[in-house]
Amino acid sequence: MGSQRFPGKLMKDVLGKPLILWTAENIRRIAPDMPLHFAVAEKELKELLDAHGYSSIMTDPDLPSGTDRLAMANRQVQAEWVINVQADEPVLAADHIEQLVSVLETGVDAATLATPFEKESDFKDSNKVKVVRSNNGRALYFSRSPIPYSRDSAGGLPASAYWHLGLYGYHHEVLERFHGWAPTELEETEKLEQLRILENGGTIGVGITATRTIGVDVPEDLEQLKAFLGNA
């Protein structure tokens, strides 16, 4: 609820329903066999989710990141493996979850997904996070800047321009280690918590998917989501 770019976005109305309920209903639909819990920091979110039959866990609002919140919530849930879907990602597909699990099984500390950029304007948008990967599919760096930079190009998209999607997978021990690390310099500079893992020598596997999502980072994204859902 305290998003700096879009305060209160999870309670914003989307075609007659708060955004967070669109996310909850979609996850229950695409992953019906997985236990679903919401780690929240505000009473109003917990009350809304509880009223609609979802499990919610209150966490300290002063935690420095969503992954810290996840680690604290999992101390109650006690899951061995955790898939973390951000509450502002309401249109994930089942194959996103399946691919994330496959990446986790390669032995990385954490797993996430990315998709190729199609528009140069998106590539240059600081609200759309970029990731560059090694030859074995592990993350080298995440940034809000357009990376990789194509020095010899007159513009356009580099062949390896990947848009990072906002979901992750972790083993519970990795979550505990993450919470034990202090927020790092690059993490705080970019405001990207996944950099805490890389800065501490951890590995993040990045699967590439052609299936896009619509994350809500700024008010303009909410209008795009409404248009998508209205035509679905």
Side-chain angles (χ1 to χ4, degrees):
M1 291 293 289
S3 167
Q4 293 183 354
R5 291 175 290 171
F6 193 2
K9 63 182 176 180
L10 297 180
M11 294 291 286
K12 297 297 184 183
D13 180 82
V14 179
L15 305 181
K17 186 162 49 186
L19 172 60
I20 195 170
L21 288 186
W22 282 98
T23 302
E25 292 172 5
N26 183 58
I27 297 171
R28 183 168 282 177
R29 179 181 60 83
I30 66 174
D33 297 328
M34 290 187 176
L36 174 60
H37 306 277
F38 284 83
V40 299
E42 293 87 7
K43 185 178 179 181
E44 61 189 304
L45 288 178
K46 179 172 176 56
E47 290 176 346
L48 175 67
L49 290 162
D50 290 352
H52 286 81
Y54 296 98
S55 168
S56 59
I57 299 168
M58 288 294 294
T59 57
D60 185 348
D62 293 327
L63 288 169
S65 75
T67 307
D68 290 288
R69 195 173 312 287
L70 192 71
M72 292 300 94
N74 198 48
R75 289 183 179 179
Q76 295 186 42
V77 176
Q78 293 288 297
E80 182 175 3
W81 297 94
V82 177
I83 301 296
N84 179 19
V85 176
Q86 296 183 32
D88 58 8
E89 291 272 358
V91 294
L92 294 181
D95 59 357
H96 287 130
I97 304 297
E98 294 165 4
Q99 186 175 8
L100 201 62
V101 171
S102 295
V103 175
L104 268 178
E105 290 173 343
T106 66
V108 292
D109 292 318
T112 193
L113 299 180
T115 190
F117 278 99
E118 294 181 348
K119 295 191 297 184
E120 187 176 1
S121 59
D122 285 335
F123 184 55
K124 293 181 176 179
D125 185 345
S126 63
N127 291 312
K128 296 173 172 57
V129 177
K130 297 84 191 173
V131 59
V132 290
R133 307 190 311 159
S134 65
N135 289 336
N136 64 359
R138 296 185 176 185
L140 294 172
Y141 193 63
F142 297 84
S143 182
R144 297 186 182 279
S145 296
I147 58 172
Y149 175 76
S150 182
R151 189 194 68 174
D152 297 326
S153 172
L157 290 170
S160 54
Y162 291 118
W163 182 347
H164 176 234
L165 305 182
L167 68 161
Y168 300 90
Y170 310 89
H171 190 272
H172 73 93
E173 292 178 354
V174 175
L175 281 175
E176 284 296 321
R177 292 205 306 271
F178 181 97
H179 185 63
W181 293 325
T184 53
E185 182 176 352
L186 291 174
E187 172 190 3
E188 295 193 321
T189 298
E190 294 260 18
K191 299 298 186 246
L192 297 174
E193 64 210 66
Q194 63 268 40
L195 292 175
R196 195 186 312 178
I197 296 175
L198 298 185
E199 287 187 83
N200 281 283
T203 56
I204 302 176
V206 183
I208 302 300
T209 176
T211 309
R212 296 184 174 276
T213 67
I214 301 176
V216 179
D217 295 316
V218 294
E220 292 77 12
D221 294 333
L222 195 67
E223 297 309 311
Q224 181 185 3
L225 175 64
K226 290 177 181 179
F228 175 83
L229 294 172
N231 293 324

